[in-house]
Each structure stands twice: as structure tokens, then as C-alpha cells.
Amino acid sequence: MTHLIAWSPAEFEAHLRAKECSYHIHHPFNRRMAAGQCSPAQIRAWVANRFYYQANIPLKDAAILSNCPDRDTRRQWVVRILDHDGTDIVPGGIEAWLRLGQAVGLERETLLDHRHVLAGVRFAVDAYVNFGRRAPWQEAVCSSLTEMFAPEIHKERLAGWPTHYPWIEAAGLDYFRSRIPLAQRDVDHGLRVTLDYFRTREQQQRALDILQFKLDVLWSMLDAIQHAQP
């Protein structure tokens, strides 16, 4: 039986980063949104459905914590929950997304009760949360590495939306602005865990498959939104 030689850490990271070609920045719906070709109804549908993902990220992160016996990792990971849920001093990402919803004309209650969430979006997000609950914590950490590609999509929206969608209140874009530095911090930690844990070639391929799964979750969400909002 032939065993493939493991990639060096630099080679492995390069293969992980090459997965950017499957990131949802390239999805036709996102391309239309970035080009200013979406109607207000389509923007609202995207914001409402994406909120289901945002609201579930702390649940996924809490699942990782519950599976992780390493104290140092837990101390670094727990800040992600606070980033989204917020504190008495810093509102957090979920509140910022609710403000985005209000900026595009959605009421908070319609976001919080998920009444506009499509079945395909719910299925994809729930699959991701369930993966975080059931997988070894290192694999769940690896799935978070789509954050490597997130700053570019946030910058794209900050650059284009004020021109393409002037009807959206500017303060509503604060979520995208806040995530750029946080994403880099999260990537640094997630990469350290992934590069250290996935050492054999077989394990490294498993990591690429996990990252592709997460990319498929994000892509499937836009598939569902695009189908419902052609």
C-alpha cells in the first residue's frame, strides 16, 4: 500500500487557501449583489436568510467548546461567542446584523423569529451546526477557515453598496466593517490548530474535504436564495 507524503505546513496552508475558488464571493447571486443588480426585495431576502446563519454561529462555537478538553484553546475560542452575542458594553455581531436588517427595511422581530428563512438555508445552516456538535473539535475548528476569504467579501460590500444601494442606511454596514480585523485574528488561531492537528497526507486531505463542506454550506445558502428570488 502506497502512502502519500505529507505536505509541509506551508504547502498544506497553500492548498487550504486555494479553496478560495469555491468561496461564495464567486456565486452568481453574490456577483449580482456586488454589481448593484439586486432589487430591494432580493437584498432583504439575503439579509433575512443570512441572519439565520449569523444567529447560529455562537451555537456552533459553543459546541466546539463543549467538545474541547484543552483549556488554552477554550480560552481563545470563547471570544468568538462574545463577538457574535455581544456584551453589556459591546453589542456584538448579531446586534450589528439586526441593525443591517433595519437599514434595509426589515423589522427586528421578522429577523429574530426567522419567518423568512428558506428551507434550503435552514437545512444548510443546521448541517453546519450539527457538524460542529458531532465532529472532533479540531475538525470543527478547521471548518471555520472560510474566514480566510471573508475580509475580501466584506471589503467588496463596503466599497460597492453605498453607491449601488444608496437607499440602505450607511450605519447598517457596520457589521462588515467590524468583521475585517476579527476575521484575521480568528484565522490565525484556526490555522495554528489545523496545521498542527492534520499532519499526515490522509489527514490533510480530510481537512480539505471539511473546508469544502463548509464552502458548500455557504454556496448552498445562496443557491436557495437565488432560486426563491430569481
Side-chain angles (χ1 to χ4, degrees):
M1 181 176 180
T2 302
H3 292 280
L4 297 174
I5 298 173
W7 291 311
S8 69
E11 291 172 326
F12 181 28
E13 180 176 342
H15 282 285
L16 290 166
R17 291 188 179 276
K19 286 289 186 179
E20 190 276 340
C21 64
S22 298
Y23 192 53
H24 64 159
I25 196 172
H26 304 296
H27 192 284
F29 186 89
N30 186 72
R31 288 179 175 175
R32 287 169 53 202
M33 192 160 56
Q37 297 171 357
C38 285
S39 68
Q42 290 169 329
I43 294 291
R44 292 184 189 109
W46 177 77
V47 170
N49 277 276
R50 178 76 184 194
F51 180 71
Y52 187 69
Y53 174 82
Q54 302 301 139
N56 274 277
I57 289 300
L59 302 183
K60 178 269 301 181
D61 287 329
I64 293 174
L65 285 177
S66 73
N67 290 330
C68 179
D70 183 71
R71 181 188 181 201
D72 288 340
T73 298
R74 293 197 307 269
R75 292 174 69 176
Q76 292 183 71
W77 202 265
V78 72
V79 299
R80 296 175 181 239
I81 297 177
L82 298 177
D83 287 343
H84 286 274
D85 281 343
T87 66
D88 291 341
I89 299 172
V90 181
I94 288 177
E95 180 61 30
W97 200 273
L98 288 167
R99 292 174 183 173
L100 171 62
Q102 291 176 298
V104 303
L106 293 167
E107 296 182 2
R108 289 173 66 95
E109 292 74 17
T110 68
L111 292 173
L112 290 168
D113 66 15
H114 306 307
R115 71 183 66 173
H116 297 305
V117 176
L118 298 163
V121 170
R122 189 181 298 272
F123 184 85
V125 173
D126 290 355
Y128 180 43
V129 175
N130 286 331
F131 178 80
R133 288 174 176 149
R134 297 169 181 170
W137 67 269
Q138 297 94 334
E139 293 193 355
V141 166
C142 176
S143 72
S144 75
L145 287 179
T146 50
E147 290 266 34
M148 292 188 294
F149 319 126
E152 191 61 32
I153 206 168
H154 296 323
K155 292 174 184 177
E156 177 186 83
R157 290 165 187 158
L158 288 168
W161 279 31
T163 299
H164 296 316
Y165 307 110
W167 54 273
I168 300 176
E169 297 177 18
L173 305 183
D174 285 347
Y175 174 86
F176 307 130
R177 190 173 294 107
S178 69
R179 286 304 305 172
I180 294 172
L182 296 180
Q184 187 57 58
R185 179 208 66 196
D186 292 348
V187 167
D188 289 343
H189 181 217
L191 266 177
R192 287 198 305 272
V193 171
T194 299
L195 297 178
D196 183 63
Y197 179 74
F198 297 90
R199 291 180 173 270
T200 69
R201 184 66 171 274
E202 291 77 11
Q203 290 173 327
Q204 292 167 339
Q205 186 58 56
R206 169 66 177 163
L208 293 177
D209 292 342
I210 291 167
L211 184 54
Q212 185 62 54
F213 158 72
K214 173 61 183 305
L215 290 164
D216 290 344
V217 165
L218 297 172
W219 195 275
S220 295
M221 290 170 61
L222 288 188
D223 278 349
I225 295 168
Q226 178 172 260
H227 180 73
Q229 295 285 331

